Amino acid sequence: MKHRIVVLGAGYAGAFAAGNLARRLSPADTEITVVNAVPDFVERMRLHQLAIGQDLGFRKLADIFEGTGVRLRLARVTGVDPERRTVAVTGEDGEGELAYDTLLYTLGSSVAHHGVPGVTEHAFDVTGRPSALRLRERMAGLGEGGTVLVVGEGLTGIETATEFAESRPDLSVALAARGELGAWLSPKARRHLRQAFDRLGITVHEHTGIEAVEPTRAITADGTSIPAEVTVWTAGFAVHPIAAASGLEVAETGQIVVDRTMRSVSHPDVYAAGDSVRAIGENGRPLPMSCASAGFTNMQATAAIIARLTGGEVPTVALKYVGNHISLGRRDAIFQMVDGEARSKSWYLGGWAATRFKAGILKGSVLSIAHPTFGMPKRRRRLATVPDRPVVRVAA
């Protein structure tokens, strides 16, 4: 029987990993299945552009994986049973199960509400296409002088605020930051960021925590009211609770705890990559949730899977975070390099050059996923052994 590899999620980590596995492993020995809730590959890093009304082209996963041998199952993952080696799913065909011999968990993350009253009911976010489209519809209905508050001073918050302000100069856009805007940036980059906010007319509320969200305003920790016909919540991300509920060992964040090769420390048949994994970087700190981290962790996970299945030596992929790329609308950006301790270096790239640099990175990531088996070897690697597997009755 073929060795069954199931990849959960087809985001930046999962889609690339599935293609890489298909590129390297012989189809005579392996069967690769990708499970994803939606039929398209979603460029999550550009969802703030979608939310403000820009048109983004979405690639069908069926087209991406056509001819690669990768099977696509359009369904939502509802549970994982690592003892039985099965995944519970629900989709158009109803509920069912998939059995696996090796599982790669890349379900990503969603918005973290932090228990703040009103966020679930009244706030919007850009962590998924459905939520971005919901925000898009609401933004289209705002008239001149409408008020928008972006909560969160991280990369997503900065990119959302600047994109909205540039695209809709008729609106009043503000950002609420718990600390200082761009505090992690080098002094010159921080100055560049503030100049961009001033140029775009964005009001910044620094050292301001939001304690409640209402339909037309947000309430700060000291009771101040900030007008907001639209509140966009970008104050952090949270992973899906499926991993913790399955019995896999997870960190306090809910991320799967793995060894250096992205292999679960509690269940060796399970690997994780992307936002779902608690990966420790070269500096001894957890890698941040980001597209760059997804790239490093999925390369390590797939390399480990391939090596162990084919009897090779597991290579080590460097787990480093080299810098932050921040779009400031369509015509400005910042690329801030960081050192081995994740501290900003004095050097940064800004303006049009940084904009083109980021555009190239985004284009490159999409092209690599759109052509998952590009450069496929003439002879793909055969499995060294086919491991024994327990007999599991699986629903159709």
Side-chain angles (χ1 to χ4, degrees), residues 213-226:
V213 176
E214 298 180 359
T216 59
R217 64 176 185 169
I219 308 301
T220 69
D222 63 5
T224 301
S225 175
I226 301 177

Side-chain angles (χ1 to χ4, degrees), residues 305-370:
I305 291 170
I306 293 166
R308 290 190 172 112
L309 291 182
T310 59
E313 183 177 348
V314 178
T316 298
V317 175
L319 301 177
K320 296 181 179 180
Y321 195 75
V322 298
N324 294 315
H325 235 137
I326 315 168
S327 292
L328 305 174
R330 295 297 84 211
R331 296 181 293 275
D332 195 4
I334 291 172
F335 179 54
Q336 175 67 71
M337 294 289 291
V338 300
D339 62 19
E341 297 300 316
R343 295 172 302 200
S344 293
K345 296 182 178 180
S346 60
W347 179 88
Y348 87 102
L349 183 67
W352 182 245
T355 302
R356 300 308 303 158
F357 188 26
K358 180 163 187 178
I361 291 176
L362 290 172
K363 184 177 181 180
S365 66
V366 172
L367 286 176
S368 66
I369 290 169

Side-chain angles (χ1 to χ4, degrees), residues 113-123 210-214 219 233:
H113 294 160
H114 301 300
V116 175
V119 173
T120 302
E121 298 84 359
H122 307 302
I210 300 300
E211 297 297 320
V213 176
E214 298 180 359
I219 308 301
W233 195 263

Side-chain angles (χ1 to χ4, degrees), residues 99-117:
Y100 67 83
D101 299 302
T102 297
L103 181 71
L104 178 54
Y105 189 110
T106 68
L107 288 180
S109 62
S110 59
V111 66
H113 294 160
H114 301 300
V116 175

Side-chain angles (χ1 to χ4, degrees), residues 62-82:
D63 294 338
I64 289 175
F65 293 123
E66 183 179 6
T68 65
V70 174
R71 300 183 179 188
L72 176 63
R73 178 71 177 267
L74 293 178
R76 182 170 57 87
V77 178
T78 58
V80 175
D81 187 337

Side-chain angles (χ1 to χ4, degrees), residues 5 67 80 99 128 135 163 197 224 236 246 254 266 288 294 349 362 374 390:
I5 302 174
V80 175
L135 175 56
E163 196 78 46
F197 268 63
T224 301
S246 71
S266 62
L349 183 67
L362 290 172
F374 178 76

Side-chain angles (χ1 to χ4, degrees), residues 7-11 13-15 17 104-108 271-274 276 298:
V7 181
L8 302 184
L104 178 54
Y105 189 110
T106 68
L107 288 180
Y271 293 77
S276 303
N298 95 65

